[in-house]
Amino acid sequence: MGATIQSDIVIAGGGLAGIVTALEALRSGKSVTIVDKDTPQRFGGLALWAFGGMALVGTPQQQRLKIVDTPERAFADWIRFGEIAEHEHWPRAWARYYVEHSRTKVHDWLIAHGVTFMPAVNWVERGMHGEGNSAPRYHFVWGTSQFLTRTMIAAMREADKGGRLRILHRHRVESIDHRGGAVAGAIAIDEESGAETRIAAPLVVLAMGGINGGHDEVRRNWPKSRPMPAAMLNGAHPFADGRLHRHAADRLGARITHAGEMWNYAAGFPHPAPHFPGHGLSAVPAKSALWLNHRGERIGPEPLVTGFDTHNLCQRVAAQEKPWTWQLMNWRIAAKEFAISGAEHNPRVRDRQMLRFMKETLLGNHRFIRQMQSESPHFLVDDTLAGLAAKMNALTATDDVKPGILQATVDAFDANFANGGKLQNDDQIRRILHARQWGPDRLRTCKPAPLQKPGAGPYIAIQMQLITRKSLGGLQTDLQSRVLDAAGEPVPGLYCVGEAAGFGGGGASGKRSLEGTFLPGCILTGRAAAQAM
């Protein structure tokens, strides 16, 4: 029998939701044990590597930009875009809780901890026909989510008065003790030695992330009514395997809901230096790029354009004949629009270098494009379309892309500009012009122009695949983050926060996120759990 330790609360998972829960619990005088599977250097989970976008309602940043936003307006957008039905009580309740408290319990709370936001507010997920965000509410953390996460870790350690915090790195929660009808603690296993530690605690918080960190789990939960590509990349945390979800359901009667709803991205490509097998990077696709199928033909009839409906983009990419697509652009477009989500590839924001960030935003991020050209074999550059087609075929070991077809695709798009802006009839151009009406988005979106515009080259083609990211479903919880059973009753002593709870209620976002609802969802559910406990 291994060692036994005593704690008021045991938290399974050291991501942002677990850290926030621990921070607030320590401040209330509780003793806390965190069990985290990763190394001390990677403590913080996926949030340590995220970019840090947050959907927030009624903030000073919005007010300065004269954005009229209210919880009522945001709730209407949320329910409409997520397609959350009237009978889905807890997802709707968490959606309402989010929009009513994101200003005070996320924005203001973070400001009080020294976390600040960039002045721009972007307008994302507008919906294909305006059914998404009806106002800009996407805020960026200055320093990325890495700065946010490290700030929360520092605050948690500062709140540890008298050695009430214990962190078991490189350990996993193997099972949850359940005695006399209530939670009694957890069994943790050392990943390296196999030694067992029993943590006796009357309160257990599940904060282990989502259920789609491995593709077996993704495919097991994929909705049968939706197309699924033959191959995908992994942009989720590889430890988010759903094992504790199933344990809680099988042993304790917890209810898993919306397991098939996922927030994936349509434009991933392999990480040049992968941290784990199948590791992909999630690109922020260029609005001005042509999105092509494996033959180099423009996907249509409605062109794919990012920033309006990610859920729709993923389904259309998944339905393609082969599990990859191409984004075709020129250097002018790439330098202004192309980006990769996350802290790793946004050093100017991550390291809080405002002057360098503004210079690259205004003049083009040529450094980054050259870096991608050097590092990634999936980022192809050539002076001619024929040469680019040859490189595309060499990468895929096919002759799918015919030079003449690629040339005709580009010529057809460029024909829109033959008479200036008078005879344009292209939905992608319309969407780009709409995006450019909002100042912060205009900074990162090129004025429409021919791909073959003199001086705009060379040409760039990026091979893209669907990449998994976040689980929208999870263990169902009430507004106190208590885990509910099939009858809707709380499992005594068991709580769930963050992505493990579908960011509240077992699926607060429904089928679609307004984007940027995940980090705040971790904070809100973690704070709610700590207050309830």
Side-chain angles (χ1 to χ4, degrees):
M1 187 71 178
T4 298
I5 58 179
Q6 301 286 330
S7 190
D8 292 329
I9 301 169
V10 58
I11 300 174
L16 180 63
I19 290 165
V20 168
T21 306
L23 165 61
E24 296 284 75
L26 288 164
R27 285 175 172 169
S28 69
K30 302 290 187 184
S31 61
V32 177
T33 300
I34 299 176
V35 182
D36 188 55
K37 195 173 179 181
D38 222 328
T39 63
Q41 294 76 23
R42 295 179 66 93
F43 183 64
L46 200 59
L48 195 64
W49 307 99
F51 184 64
M54 293 190 179
L56 302 171
V57 180
T59 66
Q61 292 88 345
Q62 288 179 305
Q63 292 162 13
R64 280 196 295 270
L65 294 169
K66 295 181 171 55
I67 300 168
V68 179
D69 198 12
T70 64
E72 293 75 19
R73 181 177 188 175
F75 182 71
D77 293 350
W78 188 306
I79 296 301
R80 181 180 60 248
F81 203 47
E83 300 181 44
I84 305 176
E86 287 282 351
H87 70 272
E88 297 188 82
H89 174 74
W90 290 115
R92 292 177 74 96
W94 269 106
R96 185 173 292 282
Y97 184 85
Y98 182 111
V99 299
E100 290 177 350
H101 297 286
S102 71
R103 162 69 192 271
T104 56
K105 294 190 176 183
V106 178
H107 177 277
D108 295 355
W109 187 74
L110 290 175
I111 293 289
H113 285 86
V115 176
T116 58
F117 294 86
M118 298 173 72
V121 181
N122 284 67
W123 195 356
V124 300
E125 295 300 304
R126 306 180 187 203
M128 295 301 293
H129 306 288
E131 70 275 26
N133 281 300
S134 60
R137 51 176 69 103
Y138 193 69
H139 299 63
F140 296 104
V141 173
W142 181 231
T144 74
S145 182
Q146 187 173 108
F147 178 81
L148 160 68
T149 305
R150 288 176 174 166
T151 300
M152 292 293 100
I153 292 171
M156 178 187 69
R157 295 192 184 280
E158 175 67 22
D160 178 22
K161 307 299 184 183
R164 290 179 288 111
L165 172 65
R166 180 186 288 109
I167 304 176
L168 301 180
H169 297 289
R170 295 295 292 137
H171 282 68
R172 72 178 186 276
V173 171
E174 181 65 18
S175 62
I176 300 166
D177 272 351
H178 192 244
R179 302 177 186 180
V183 161
I187 304 297
I189 304 296
D190 188 317
E191 287 285 280
E192 294 169 2
S193 70
E196 178 181 293
T197 300
R198 180 174 183 269
I199 307 148
L203 301 167
V204 172
V205 182
L206 300 177
M208 61 283 182
I211 59 178
N212 63 347
H215 283 180
D216 289 344
E217 197 69 21
V218 168
R219 294 183 184 282
R220 185 180 299 117
N221 288 291
W222 198 278
K224 291 182 171 50
S225 61
R226 298 177 194 164
M228 180 170 59
M232 294 174 277
L233 295 168
N234 189 357
H237 201 292
F239 295 160
D241 56 12
R243 187 183 56 81
L244 271 182
H245 290 77
R246 292 190 295 273
H247 174 77
D250 295 342
R251 290 281 304 278
L252 308 177
R255 186 179 180 215
I256 303 172
T257 65
H258 304 88
E261 302 300 345
M262 307 171 199
W263 194 244
N264 300 323
Y265 291 106
F269 62 99
H271 196 303
H275 300 175
F276 50 85
H279 186 192
L281 292 171
S282 179
V284 180
K287 282 186 176 67
S288 301
L290 299 187
W291 212 317
L292 313 178
N293 64 19
H294 70 282
R295 289 185 293 270
E297 301 161 332
R298 196 173 179 201
I299 297 172
E302 190 175 39
L304 302 190
V305 187
T306 191
F308 293 89
D309 188 338
T310 295
H311 181 73
N312 174 268
L313 280 180
C314 287
Q315 291 201 66
R316 293 189 63 195
V317 165
Q320 295 301 306
E321 184 179 342
K322 290 191 177 180
W324 69 81
T325 58
W326 296 97
Q327 273 230 312
L328 177 66
M329 64 197 85
N330 54 36
W331 193 278
R332 164 184 173 266
I333 292 170
K336 191 174 188 67
E337 298 188 20
F338 181 75
I340 296 174
S341 180
E344 184 179 5
H345 290 89
N346 289 278
R348 305 306 183 217
V349 180
R350 182 194 64 216
D351 300 335
R352 297 157 68 93
Q353 300 170 337
M354 179 57 79
L355 290 178
R356 291 185 178 184
F357 169 74
M358 290 304 301
K359 180 181 178 182
E360 291 181 349
T361 300
L362 295 173
L363 302 180
N365 197 345
H366 301 277
R367 169 198 57 80
F368 175 60
I369 302 306
R370 287 191 293 269
Q371 176 189 343
M372 287 296 99
Q373 180 184 6
S374 170
E375 292 181 357
S376 175
H378 300 267
F379 195 99
L380 308 177
V381 181
D382 201 273
D383 289 328
T384 69
L385 290 172
L388 194 65
K391 291 179 179 178
M392 294 161 77
N393 288 331
L395 179 63
T396 60
T398 69
D399 61 353
D400 289 340
V401 181
K402 309 297 184 187
I405 295 294
L406 190 64
Q407 184 67 57
T409 297
V410 174
D411 287 345
F413 176 76
D414 285 358
N416 284 285
F417 303 94
N419 290 284
K422 298 178 181 179
L423 295 177
Q424 293 173 359
N425 187 26
D426 185 275
D427 193 56
Q428 183 169 356
I429 295 173
R430 280 191 286 271
R431 291 188 181 278
I432 291 169
L433 293 172
H434 174 60
R436 282 174 52 85
Q437 291 173 359
W438 178 242
D441 290 335
R442 185 188 184 95
L443 281 173
R444 298 298 300 267
T445 308
C446 290
K447 182 180 179 180
L451 250 70
Q452 299 172 95
K453 179 180 179 179
Y459 300 105
I460 297 172
I462 310 171
Q463 188 192 37
M464 301 291 197
Q465 297 182 58
L466 191 143
I467 180 170
T468 61
R469 189 62 171 171
K470 302 174 183 77
S471 304
L472 293 186
L475 293 169
Q476 190 153 74
T477 56
D478 63 11
L479 290 180
Q480 294 176 298
S481 291
R482 298 181 299 181
V483 174
L484 305 177
D485 63 18
E489 295 298 320
V491 178
L494 188 62
Y495 294 76
C496 188
V497 295
E499 190 175 355
F503 303 99
S509 292
K511 294 181 180 179
R512 291 177 181 83
S513 168
L514 291 176
E515 189 66 290
T517 59
F518 309 116
L519 293 172
C522 290
I523 293 170
L524 288 169
T525 55
R527 297 193 69 196
Q531 182 178 359
M533 291 186 294

